[in-house]
Amino acid sequence: GAVVSQHPSRVICKSGTSVKIECRSLDFQATTMFWYRQFPKQSLMLMATSNEGSKATYEQGVEKDKFLINHASLTLSTLTVTSAHPEDSSFYICSAKSRGHSMNTEAFFGQGTRLTVV
Amino acid sequence: GDSVTQMEGPVTLSEEAFLTINCTYTATGYPSLFWYVQYPGEGLQLLLKATKADDKGSNKGFEATYRKETTSFHLEKGSVQVSDSAVYFCALSDAFSGGYNKLIFGAGTRLAVHP
């Protein structure tokens, strides 16, 4: 199947700094990318959906100024956690689908990034 | 709103044991149901799915039946292997929830299979 690579897999940063997480589709053009977050022992929650070349659509309760999503090319989307705080510590996962995938259930997922803010 | 609840792990089994991971859901419409698996160091992969009541999804020896009367989609496998050790996520997609193919996940259940 198609491969989605997410980097880094783990990151520790100081409170107040910004962290960028990359999500790349390695062998297909990702017209749509999804970003999820999972707190310990809780469900994987959709944060935002981004279509290549347009602004991301954020889910209710997700701060767009804090979680900056860029989807400037068909193979790369980035999530930047700005001015990170300990409560932003979480597991972040991206998924990507091409124009040929009718449902996001057919999207391919990255390995996830464990962010720890100290 | 729509939600998915799955049994808390970890689930620890010996090889060749029978596996059940419970999953129940709440939804306002007629959801499709899914099981995803995440092997260590890899992304989530779609394991199986069922799109309507009484459908049975199956793949790699795993199966799950869409039970509308009990709002459940329990994952089963008759004989697990060490290679099945992974985190399993139950999910639904409800076309009538306002987020047309938006996926709603459970918290995941870690399975550890020992030789």
Side-chain angles (χ1 to χ4, degrees), chain B residues 37-48:
Chain B
V37 59
Q38 183 174 28
Y39 298 105
E42 299 183 18
L44 272 74
Q45 304 170 28
L46 180 62
L47 179 62
L48 54 84

Side-chain angles (χ1 to χ4, degrees), chain A residues 34 36 38 41-46 59 91 93 97 102-112, chain B residues 4 8 32 34 36 38 41-46 49 89 93 100-108:
Chain A
F34 307 88
Y36 295 84
Q38 184 181 29
K41 298 191 176 182
Q42 296 186 30
S43 301
L44 204 58
M45 301 295 294
L46 180 65
E59 295 298 302
F91 188 60
I93 299 182
K97 73 180 187 80
S102 59
M103 302 284 286
N104 75 344
T105 55
E106 297 175 22
F108 298 97
F109 286 79
Q111 307 95 317
Chain B
V4 174
E8 198 172 318
S32 294
F34 308 86
Y36 285 81
Q38 183 174 28
E42 299 183 18
L44 272 74
Q45 304 170 28
L46 180 62
K49 66 179 181 181
F89 291 89
S93 180
Y100 175 68
N101 55 14
K102 181 193 295 188
L103 278 170
I104 296 172
F105 286 91

Side-chain angles (χ1 to χ4, degrees), chain B residues 36-92:
Chain B
Y36 285 81
V37 59
Q38 183 174 28
Y39 298 105
E42 299 183 18
L44 272 74
Q45 304 170 28
L46 180 62
L47 179 62
L48 54 84
K49 66 179 181 181
T51 57
K52 61 183 188 296
D54 299 326
D55 268 3
K56 178 185 283 188
S58 61
N59 185 25
K60 298 182 181 180
F62 291 89
E63 57 183 37
T65 301
Y66 189 142
R67 301 283 187 203
K68 191 177 178 190
E69 63 277 14
T70 54
T71 61
S72 64
F73 193 55
H74 304 322
L75 182 68
E76 296 182 337
K77 186 174 185 182
S79 176
V80 293
Q81 304 301 311
V82 173
S83 57
D84 294 325
S85 298
V87 181
Y88 293 82
F89 291 89
C90 185
L92 70 81

Side-chain angles (χ1 to χ4, degrees), chain A residues 8-107:
Chain A
S9 57
R10 291 180 180 272
V11 59
I12 300 173
C13 71
K14 290 185 177 179
S15 187
T17 61
S18 296
V19 173
K20 181 182 285 188
I21 302 169
E22 293 188 347
C23 181
R24 293 181 186 274
S25 58
L26 299 186
D27 52 3
F28 68 100
Q29 294 185 329
T31 51
T32 306
M33 286 191 170
F34 307 88
W35 287 95
Y36 295 84
R37 175 174 59 187
Q38 184 181 29
F39 293 106
K41 298 191 176 182
Q42 296 186 30
S43 301
L44 204 58
M45 301 295 294
L46 180 65
M47 298 174 66
T49 302
S50 74
N51 292 299
E52 185 266 338
S54 60
K55 288 184 177 180
T57 301
Y58 290 79
E59 295 298 302
Q60 192 172 8
V62 178
E63 299 174 62
K64 64 175 81 172
D65 294 331
K66 181 164 190 62
F67 299 100
L68 300 179
I69 292 172
N70 182 284
H71 190 174
S73 80
L74 284 170
T75 59
L76 174 65
S77 176
T78 60
L79 166 68
T80 301
V81 182
T82 61
S83 187
H85 290 284
E87 58 266 28
D88 299 322
S89 298
S90 189
F91 188 60
Y92 295 87
I93 299 182
C94 70
S95 70
K97 73 180 187 80
S98 73
R99 201 169 279 120
H101 298 142
S102 59
M103 302 284 286
N104 75 344
T105 55
E106 297 175 22

